[in-house]
Amino acid sequence: MDGMIYLSLAYIAMIAAIAIWTWTVVTRSRSIEARLAAVESTIGLSADEGDDVASQSVDE
């Protein structure tokens, strides 16, 4: 019975670790998206124009 308790705790800890990692990734993604939007608005580009600028700089 002790082995099952440890296994259950290990699974719960693993699920909690995955949840924390997912939360961190989502939070960072939202932060990056907000920073990109701020840069685009600062230089006067819309989100659609941002991709055109990136593709033009690669072509040159």
Side-chain angles (χ1 to χ4, degrees), residues 2-31:
D2 288 332
M4 291 298 288
I5 292 173
Y6 291 128
L7 184 61
S8 300
L9 290 176
Y11 277 124
I12 290 170
M14 181 182 66
I15 291 169
I18 291 170
I20 291 169
W21 177 80
T22 303
W23 179 261
T24 303
V25 169
V26 169
T27 303
R28 287 182 183 172
S29 175
R30 288 181 182 164
S31 173

